[in-house]
């Protein structure tokens, strides 16, 4: 989006809050198998620095909502955005308001009446963008929702799959876009494997981060083995294979990766 100064868009206190709040990978959930995204959902996960998220989100929404798409009604051009914290959700809403976009936050700070009013507007299509936390979106079902965006990727794959599963229900077409931060590097190999298993494109910078994580994991396993600690097999548990439908995801990440329009620098 022309004229957008990415650095001026970032509230430093919010960026710092997110980096701290979503920086730890949830290893207990991370080792779960049998995580699956509907095949009707296209997934795009990009390695994205915190200061680049505002610009990327604005460009993304401009593409999804800015132009008239043939055969699409207002209720079909809705976007559900997930954030890890209420503070972050409010920041994203403020960002969109500054650039003339209609958006509201769904959080625990709303009364029941306020929550219902916001949801009614979103369901009808009069409110195109809803920004929510996982807690606030619990039990939320939006019929025919086409687009989901993860401003924060989340701390584990179960959380990611649950969010992305809000679209593409009952075989309907859906699209999911996610911003992945470097502080989630231990999760990167599993994310890449899942994307390849679903025949989804892999951002090349995400792929490189996954390779870094695998190298660090192997180095850590070798060091533990020489010192009588946990062996490499146990250390590799956090990036175990994921069962997808009737196949098992190969442990080796496919080296074919699609380029990203913007590097994480």
């Amino acid at each position: 989006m022309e004229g957008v100064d990415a650095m001026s868009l970032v509230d430093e206190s919010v960026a710092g809050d997110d980096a701290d709040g979503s920086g730890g990978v949830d290893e207990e959930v991370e080792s779960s198998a049998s995580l699956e995204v509907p095949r009707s959902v296209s997934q795009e996960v990009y390695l994205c620095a915190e200061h680049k998220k505002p610009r990327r989100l604005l460009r993304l929404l401009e593409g999804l909502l800015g132009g008239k798409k043939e055969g699409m009604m207002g209720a079909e051009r809705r976007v559900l955005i997930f954030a890890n914290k209420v503070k972050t959700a409010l920041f994203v809403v403020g960002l969109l308001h500054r650039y003339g976009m209609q958006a509201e936050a769904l959080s625990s700070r709303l009364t029941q009446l306020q929550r219902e009013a916001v949801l009614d507007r979103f369901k009808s299509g009069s409110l195109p963008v809803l920004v929510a936390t996982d807690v606030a979106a619990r039990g939320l079902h939006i019929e025919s929702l086409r687009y989901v965006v993860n401003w924060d990727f989340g701390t584990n794959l179960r959380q990611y799959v649950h969010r992305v599963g809000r679209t593409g229900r009952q075989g309907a077409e859906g699209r999911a876009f996610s911003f992945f931060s470097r502080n989630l590097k231990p999760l990167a190999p599993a994310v890449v494997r899942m994307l390849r298993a679903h025949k989804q494109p892999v951002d090349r910078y995400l792929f490189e981060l996954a390779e870094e994580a695998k190298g660090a994991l192997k180095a850590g396993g070798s060091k533990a083995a020489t010192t009588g600690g946990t062996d490499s097999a146990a250390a590799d548990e956090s990036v175990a294979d994921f069962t997808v439908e009737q196949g098992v995801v190969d442990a080796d990440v496919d080296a074919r990766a699609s380029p990203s329009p913007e590097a994480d620098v």
Side-chain angles (χ1 to χ4, degrees):
M1 180 174 290
E2 295 182 1
V4 178
D5 182 349
M7 291 304 295
S8 68
L9 299 178
V10 177
D11 180 331
E12 292 182 356
S13 64
V14 173
D17 187 31
D18 286 347
D20 181 51
S22 59
V25 175
D26 186 344
E27 295 182 358
E28 180 179 351
V29 179
E30 164 61 13
S31 61
S32 299
S34 303
L35 293 177
E36 180 182 325
V37 174
R39 292 289 182 174
S40 59
V41 177
S42 65
Q43 305 171 64
E44 298 179 37
V45 181
Y46 296 109
L47 186 63
C48 186
E50 289 292 333
H51 71 276
K52 291 187 176 180
K53 286 183 179 182
R55 181 189 293 273
R56 177 159 287 199
L57 179 65
L58 291 169
R59 285 177 172 170
L60 175 61
L61 293 180
E62 187 178 57
L64 297 178
L65 305 175
K68 294 183 178 179
K69 298 184 180 181
E70 185 176 353
M72 289 186 68
M73 306 297 290
E76 295 177 305
R77 299 215 318 255
R78 297 164 300 175
V79 182
L80 177 60
I81 301 176
F82 280 101
N84 286 354
K85 294 185 176 184
V86 174
K87 184 177 181 180
T88 310
L90 295 176
F91 166 72
V92 174
V93 169
L95 165 70
L96 300 182
H97 285 176
R98 292 203 301 275
Y99 285 86
M101 296 186 183
Q102 294 185 63
E104 295 293 344
L106 186 68
S107 75
S108 56
R109 296 183 183 180
L110 298 181
T111 65
Q112 185 61 29
L113 287 178
Q114 290 173 327
R115 173 187 168 89
E116 291 175 358
V118 169
L119 285 176
D120 286 344
R121 290 178 58 206
F122 187 62
K123 290 178 179 179
S124 69
S126 62
L127 178 67
V129 180
L130 182 65
V131 186
T133 61
D134 292 282
V135 173
R138 229 173 245 168
L140 181 64
H141 173 67
I142 305 297
E143 187 175 352
S144 303
L145 179 65
R146 286 175 177 256
Y147 307 119
V148 168
V149 176
N150 287 310
W151 172 277
D152 296 314
F153 186 85
T155 58
N156 57 72
L157 281 183
R158 185 183 299 279
Q159 186 179 30
Y160 167 78
V161 169
H162 183 68
R163 290 175 175 181
V164 170
R166 301 306 177 102
T167 185
R169 293 188 171 183
Q170 298 180 340
E173 180 181 340
R175 298 183 68 186
F177 307 87
S178 303
F179 303 149
F180 194 93
S181 303
R182 283 189 176 274
N183 56 339
L184 295 176
K185 183 166 75 170
L187 190 59
V191 173
V192 170
R193 284 203 303 277
M194 188 170 69
L195 289 173
R196 297 306 305 176
H198 286 78
K199 296 180 172 56
Q200 301 297 311
V202 177
D203 169 64
R204 67 187 179 96
Y205 299 104
L206 176 63
F207 175 80
E208 290 171 1
L209 187 67
E211 291 297 289
E212 289 179 21
K214 288 169 65 180
L217 187 65
K218 289 178 181 177
S222 299
K223 182 177 180 180
T226 58
T227 58
T230 305
D231 61 22
S232 58
D236 193 51
E237 183 178 335
S238 64
V239 288
D241 293 342
F242 288 83
T243 301
V244 181
E245 291 187 353
Q246 299 181 359
V248 177
V249 184
D250 194 340
D252 293 326
V253 179
D254 193 323
R256 293 170 296 172
S258 63
S260 168
E262 188 173 347
D264 179 57
V265 294

